Amino acid sequence: RIKRESGIETMAHLTCVGHGRDELAAILRRLEDQGIENVLALRGDAPRDKQGGLTAFVPTEGGFRYSGELLRFIKGGFRFCLGGACYPEGHIECASRDDDLNHLRDKVAAGAEFLLTQLFFDNAFYFDFVARAQAARIRVPIVPGIMPITNFEQIERFTRLCGATIPMRLRLQLERHQHDPDAILQLGVAHATVQCMELLARGAPGIHFYTLNRSKATRMILSALRGART
């Protein structure tokens, strides 16, 4: 409906979680039939335990353990533009950033034509990651993923689960205003806007916003970016 009625280019997010090969093939055929051309292939998160932490990932019977396997499956039987995920601060389950980069190289070899990063709040992580990826001969576009902070407890939970770092200066500001939702929103939008300005000025191929189905903060950032253009 988004593509047909709004004319917005769309990208389906498809994970290995809960799907066997036959079900994945049926989903992909349906997407193809509806004119969808882009798929972001992800492993997906493992289930959470009672304390909210992640458990070990167990593939569905007849499914895939890694996103690279899903990428190869799609590439072998369908004609989508394929994207994959990457992690500027390293995947939380990887022993080292070098191991993580090796896995990323496998994803690109499996068919990923562009990469979207995990959320980050310090652009230095992105630029260092891109440099290391290029040194490892990863040549596909790496699009930075930005999540505007709109809720203190939520971002604390997200960063704990994915291993992203909140810079100390920003964290202190957030803690100081954690009981003032409007102040948190303004802080989050201001920080993300500055991030986006620097990323675009220094050659990032675009911005991927994590909106969490709440577009207000992203719209505020876009307005600020457009207003800053010369």
Side-chain angles (χ1 to χ4, degrees):
R1 284 185 59 195
I2 290 170
K3 182 163 185 174
R4 185 175 63 249
E5 299 176 15
S6 301
I8 297 172
E9 191 58 37
T10 57
M11 177 171 62
H13 289 46
L14 189 60
T15 76
C16 302
V17 176
H19 299 307
R21 294 169 191 249
D22 291 343
E23 187 177 4
L24 285 166
I27 293 169
L28 290 161
R29 282 193 294 270
R30 191 169 78 242
L31 292 171
E32 244 179 6
D33 291 343
Q34 293 297 321
I36 303 302
E37 300 173 359
N38 312 290
V39 171
L40 181 66
L42 307 166
R43 188 198 70 176
D45 291 333
R48 292 181 173 85
D49 58 26
K50 292 181 179 179
Q51 286 72 44
L54 294 178
T55 60
F57 183 84
V58 178
T60 300
E61 185 176 353
F64 301 111
R65 183 178 296 274
Y66 303 111
S67 61
E69 296 173 340
L70 176 58
L71 282 160
R72 283 192 176 88
F73 175 74
I74 301 172
K75 193 74 173 178
F78 301 90
R79 297 182 63 186
F80 292 101
C81 176
L82 295 175
C86 59
Y87 305 86
E89 298 181 63
H91 194 286
I92 197 167
E93 295 177 24
C94 265
S96 71
R97 293 185 186 181
D98 287 339
D99 283 347
D100 190 41
L101 207 56
N102 288 332
H103 292 312
L104 185 62
R105 195 162 41 221
D106 291 342
K107 283 186 192 180
V108 174
E113 299 169 63
F114 65 94
L115 300 167
L116 301 181
T117 79
Q118 178 62 278
L119 60 96
F120 59 91
F121 300 100
D122 184 341
N123 287 353
F125 286 119
Y126 171 80
F127 293 119
D128 176 70
F129 176 74
V130 170
R132 290 190 298 112
Q134 290 175 344
R137 300 191 177 185
I138 295 171
R139 304 297 188 216
V140 299
I142 299 176
V143 182
I146 297 298
M147 180 183 285
I149 297 172
T150 59
N151 180 286
F152 180 77
E153 290 78 13
Q154 181 187 65
I155 206 63
E156 282 279 278
R157 184 170 65 253
F158 277 15
T159 53
R160 187 167 59 251
L161 289 172
C162 74
T165 304
I166 300 177
M168 183 54 66
R169 183 176 178 181
L170 176 60
R171 173 177 289 280
L172 291 173
Q173 290 177 306
L174 292 169
E175 289 176 351
R176 190 177 305 125
H177 299 285
Q178 61 181 291
H179 301 300
D180 185 344
D182 289 336
I184 293 291
L185 176 64
Q186 294 299 326
L187 275 170
V189 166
H191 184 81
T193 299
V194 171
Q195 274 192 277
C196 291
M197 286 180 174
E198 182 187 25
L199 289 164
L200 294 171
R202 291 181 57 181
I207 303 289
H208 177 75
F209 287 102
Y210 293 99
T211 64
L212 303 179
N213 296 325
R214 297 178 182 272
S215 64
K216 181 179 179 180
T218 302
R219 287 187 284 115
M220 292 168 69
I221 294 165
L222 290 173
S223 294
L225 292 175
R226 290 183 178 123
R229 281 181 181 167
T230 59

